[in-house]
């Protein structure tokens, strides 16, 4: 969502006559978009902003802006951390930056209101021309007890089906092959009588070739949505379904509104209906009150379900959330030990699952050259796994092409293969 917001802001700024540079020494205005989900991200953002402050010391006419979740959370308090700031703009104020720039105020400007968002600007300046994020909703009102998002992004607001379709069709006409529909909880999407499954059906009717979405909250994953995923050819067979914990006691304290058994039932249903389903998740270790036996339950679920991959985090207390009021009683070293054990187990599972893909064919959207080997093309399969073309028989420019790739080698995170047909 932050990447998307940055793209939207770039679109708005360039429409207003600004040009974009990623070299701070050339910029007259330096903007840092921030995340508040974990403390670590915040510490890094403060470090980066203070480092960037030197460009202001060298040329006082340079302006420094912080935008996004952390700006929303800290507001005026941000000036204590980074005194050189000229703008502190919250998650919905950031789109008004061009207006604020016109005002030329002497004092730092702090704007944090959540306004009635009518429409998200539908011409973001995207880096990737072939695969685009399209926000279908903003904000969240699930209030998982550990999570800062509902406080910094406000209540859920859904875009109209017609506006989303217009944006997707426009993207398809400009050569884009794939869209990722994004929202904090896409499964709770609603526009009049249309739910998320209906939206998927409508997006499928555009000329876009592949459709992804994230994130899905298990409490709102309906059999209707699973059916739509299995029936709609363009929808990729990838489901990101955060589990967070395998312990019912912890899930309840997290306010997730499902039990481990309900989660397992959903996974069984999805696996039985969607052929070649790739299932990924988010997991938190060391939530307040998590005992060894709770952590063991997370491990048991992970081993039973066999996720294709997982984002795994140590619990980070966030001021203002319900969980912040609980004692952060799992010692740092225990959190780290649990995280390392979990990562190790998941790495082996990912490897085992990727192993099964050897000699199968993946449909890959090529998005650039591999960082490891600049001569090789890379892209994403329908499973959302990164695929590197290890034996490229053709000199053809494959950027933006959807190609069939026979998988020949794997590791825990990547598949390697040969192009079968173009
Ligand atoms: N809306 C999505 C969802 O419900 O899963 C994702 C939101 S959050 C930005 C992404 C992930 O960060 C969460 O799924 C959770 O695993 C993790 N997360 C959120 N708050 C956290 C915290 N306080 N400490 C550690 N991890 C956290
Ligand atoms: Fe945070 Fe829960 Fe909302 Fe996801 S669903 S953004 S974890 S409150």
């Amino acid at each position: 969502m932050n990447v998307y917001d940055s793209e939207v802001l770039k679109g708005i700024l360039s429409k207003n006559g600004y040009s974009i540079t990623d070299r701070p020494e050339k910029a007259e205005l330096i903007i840092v978009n921030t995340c508040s989900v974990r403390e670590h991200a915040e510490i890094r953002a403060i470090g980066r902003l203070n480092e960037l402050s030197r460009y202001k010391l060298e040329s006082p006419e340079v302006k420094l802006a912080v935008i996004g979740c952390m700006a929303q959370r800290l507001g005026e308090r941000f000036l204590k951390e980074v005194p050189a700031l000229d703008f502190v703009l919250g998650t919905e104020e950031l789109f008004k930056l061009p207006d604020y720039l016109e005002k030329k105020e002497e004092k730092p400007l702090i704007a944090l209101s959540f306004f009635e968002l009518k429409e998200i600007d539908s011409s973001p300046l995207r880096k990737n021309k072939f695969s685009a994020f399209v926000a279908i909703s903003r904000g969240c009102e699930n209030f998982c007890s550990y999570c800062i998002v509902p406080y910094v992004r406000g209540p859920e607001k859904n875009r109209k089906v017609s506006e989303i379709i217009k944006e997707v069709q426009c993207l398809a006409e400009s050569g884009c092959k794939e869209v990722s529909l994004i929202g904090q909880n896409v499964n709770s999407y609603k526009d009049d009588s249309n739910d998320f499954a209906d939206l998927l059906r409508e997006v499928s009717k555009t000329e876009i070739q592949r459709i992804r979405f994230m994130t899905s909250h298990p409490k709102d994953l309906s059999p209707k949505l699973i059916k739509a995923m299995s029936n709609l050819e363009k929808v990729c067979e990838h489901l990101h379904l955060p589990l967070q914990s395998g312990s019912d006691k912890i899930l309840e304290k997290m306010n997730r509104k499902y039990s481990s058994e309900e989660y397992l039932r959903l996974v069984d249903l999805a696996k039985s209906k969607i052929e070649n389903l790739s299932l990924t998740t988010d997991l938190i270790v060391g939530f307040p009150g998590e005992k060894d036996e709770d952590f063991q339950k997370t491990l048991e679920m992970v081993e039973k379900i066999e996720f294709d991959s997982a984002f795994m985090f140590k619990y980070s207390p966030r001021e203002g959330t319900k969980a912040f009021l609980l004692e952060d009683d799992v010692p740092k070293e225990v959190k780290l030990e649990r995280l390392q054990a979990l990562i190790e187990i998941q790495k082996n599972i990912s490897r085992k699952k990727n192993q099964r893909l050897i000699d199968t064919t993946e449909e890959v959207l090529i998005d650039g050259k591999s960082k490891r080997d600049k001569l090789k093309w890379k892209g994403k399969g329908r499973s959302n796994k990164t695929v590197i073309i290890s034996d490229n028989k053709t000199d053809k420019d494959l950027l933006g092409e959807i190609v069939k790739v026979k998988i020949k080698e794997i590791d825990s995170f990547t598949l390697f293969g040969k192009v079968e047909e173009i």
Side-chain angles (χ1 to χ4, degrees):
M1 194 57 87
N2 276 17
V3 171
Y4 181 76
D5 279 351
S6 296
E7 291 178 341
V8 172
L9 184 59
K10 279 188 205 167
I12 294 173
L13 286 169
S14 70
K15 247 198 252 165
N16 279 272
Y18 294 87
S19 55
I20 314 291
T21 174
D22 50 15
R23 294 184 40 201
E25 68 277 13
K26 286 186 130 195
E28 288 164 275
L29 165 67
I30 300 174
I31 310 169
V32 175
N33 195 358
T34 55
C35 171
S36 267
V37 171
R38 281 168 295 277
E39 191 188 10
H40 182 63
E42 293 202 343
I43 292 169
R44 283 183 56 202
I46 291 171
R48 182 88 176 112
L49 277 159
N50 277 320
E51 191 188 306
L52 290 166
S53 299
R54 77 184 154 98
Y55 295 103
K56 255 189 90 78
L57 288 178
E58 285 161 18
S59 328
E61 67 284 1
V62 169
K63 301 270 180 231
L64 186 61
V66 64
I67 60 171
C69 296
M70 197 181 164
Q72 186 75 45
R73 192 177 87 76
L74 291 183
E76 198 163 352
R77 285 189 284 162
F78 225 132
L79 299 176
K80 283 203 193 103
E81 305 288 349
V82 186
L85 283 170
D86 297 288
F87 299 96
V88 180
L89 303 182
T91 48
E92 297 203 350
E93 286 281 356
L94 62 95
F95 302 120
K96 293 196 218 155
L97 182 57
D99 299 343
Y100 292 139
L101 284 166
E102 296 278 297
K103 287 194 181 150
K104 298 195 174 65
E105 298 204 13
E106 284 304 307
K107 279 198 308 195
L109 191 141
I110 296 152
L112 307 171
S113 77
F114 290 128
F115 59 92
E116 203 41 59
L117 201 67
K118 303 251 171 358
E119 169 52 352
I120 303 167
D121 191 285
S122 57
S123 48
L125 211 66
R126 295 175 164 102
K127 208 167 159 190
N128 187 333
K129 301 240 171 320
F130 306 103
S131 177
F133 289 126
V134 174
I136 63 164
S137 61
R138 298 181 70 79
C140 179
E141 46 203 50
N142 289 311
F143 293 96
C144 302
S145 64
Y146 50 80
C147 184
I148 195 74
V149 171
Y151 304 93
V152 290
R153 284 193 171 270
E156 186 177 296
K157 300 169 204 81
N158 293 300
R159 289 177 81 189
K160 295 224 129 313
V161 173
S162 55
E163 279 152 13
I164 298 167
I165 299 303
K166 204 162 96 193
E167 184 171 350
V168 174
Q169 181 55 28
C170 226
L171 281 163
E173 283 166 15
S174 66
C176 180
K177 302 278 171 69
E178 175 184 270
V179 287
S180 295
L181 306 177
I182 56 168
Q184 298 301 337
N185 173 13
V186 290
N187 297 358
S188 62
Y189 177 85
K190 260 232 144 337
D191 175 30
D192 293 332
S193 60
N194 293 299
D195 61 14
F196 185 58
D198 300 321
L199 176 69
L200 278 183
R201 194 159 294 113
E202 291 308 309
V203 175
S204 278
K205 292 180 193 157
T206 67
E207 287 169 65
I208 204 75
Q209 294 182 35
R210 298 208 310 197
I211 303 165
R212 303 184 175 285
F213 59 87
M214 77 177 350
T215 293
S216 289
H217 195 305
K219 79 177 169 57
D220 299 313
L221 178 63
S222 65
K224 180 179 169 190
L225 176 56
I226 293 176
K227 197 167 162 210
M229 276 186 83
S230 82
N231 290 346
L232 298 169
E233 176 75 15
K234 291 181 180 176
V235 177
C236 291
E237 301 76 17
H238 170 226
L239 186 61
H240 186 68
L241 194 65
L243 167 65
Q244 312 297 5
S245 169
S247 152
D248 289 338
K249 180 188 96 189
I250 299 296
L251 283 174
E252 197 172 337
K253 284 174 100 178
M254 286 178 164
N255 192 29
R256 288 292 285 178
K257 301 193 173 83
Y258 54 84
S259 65
S260 54
E261 209 180 307
E262 282 160 342
Y263 187 94
L264 279 176
R265 270 207 297 274
L266 275 178
V267 166
D268 283 347
L269 183 68
K271 281 185 178 169
S272 70
K273 299 279 178 208
I274 306 161
E275 214 182 322
N276 300 325
L277 178 71
S278 162
L279 187 67
T280 57
T281 200
D282 292 349
L283 296 158
I284 298 176
V285 299
F287 186 81
E290 186 187 73
K291 302 272 180 275
D292 257 338
E293 57 264 30
D294 298 306
F295 177 61
Q296 285 311 319
K297 286 182 182 150
T298 299
L299 293 185
E300 278 163 29
M301 284 287 274
V302 164
E303 283 178 326
K304 195 174 208 164
I305 295 167
E306 299 196 319
F307 295 107
D308 288 81
S309 65
F311 294 114
M312 294 161 277
F313 311 105
K314 281 181 286 182
Y315 168 68
S316 169
R318 306 281 61 215
E319 195 185 344
T321 61
K322 283 257 168 67
F324 191 75
L325 303 173
L326 305 170
E327 193 193 342
D328 184 18
D329 58 356
V330 180
K332 255 195 200 155
E333 320 74 67
V334 177
K335 280 186 190 165
L336 187 61
E337 260 170 41
R338 289 183 186 165
L339 184 66
Q340 282 168 342
L342 181 62
I343 290 174
E344 199 48 39
I345 287 175
Q346 180 53 48
K347 214 171 119 188
N348 289 334
I349 295 172
S350 297
R351 198 184 165 80
K352 192 167 97 186
K353 292 208 79 178
N354 287 350
Q355 193 86 39
R356 293 182 201 148
L357 297 175
I358 288 187
D359 284 334
T360 64
T361 301
E362 283 274 322
E363 181 202 276
V364 181
L365 170 56
I366 304 290
D367 57 20
K369 290 286 174 84
S370 157
K371 274 195 196 132
R372 292 191 222 174
D373 182 343
K374 297 235 158 24
L375 292 175
K376 291 178 179 162
W377 290 106
K378 69 152 182 73
K380 285 267 160 123
R382 288 178 71 94
S383 57
N384 206 34
K385 294 182 185 185
T386 298
V387 181
I388 294 180
I389 313 296
S390 41
D391 173 26
N392 193 11
K393 280 184 252 157
T394 163
D395 289 335
K396 199 176 159 210
D397 182 358
L398 294 182
L399 190 64
E401 300 284 332
I402 293 181
V403 292
K404 295 249 192 285
V405 178
K406 181 70 133 263
I407 304 305
K408 287 289 162 199
E409 280 174 64
I410 59 103
D411 62 27
S412 292
F413 310 104
T414 319
L415 312 175
F416 304 85
K418 296 177 181 176
V419 174
E420 272 190 333
E421 53 181 90
I422 299 166

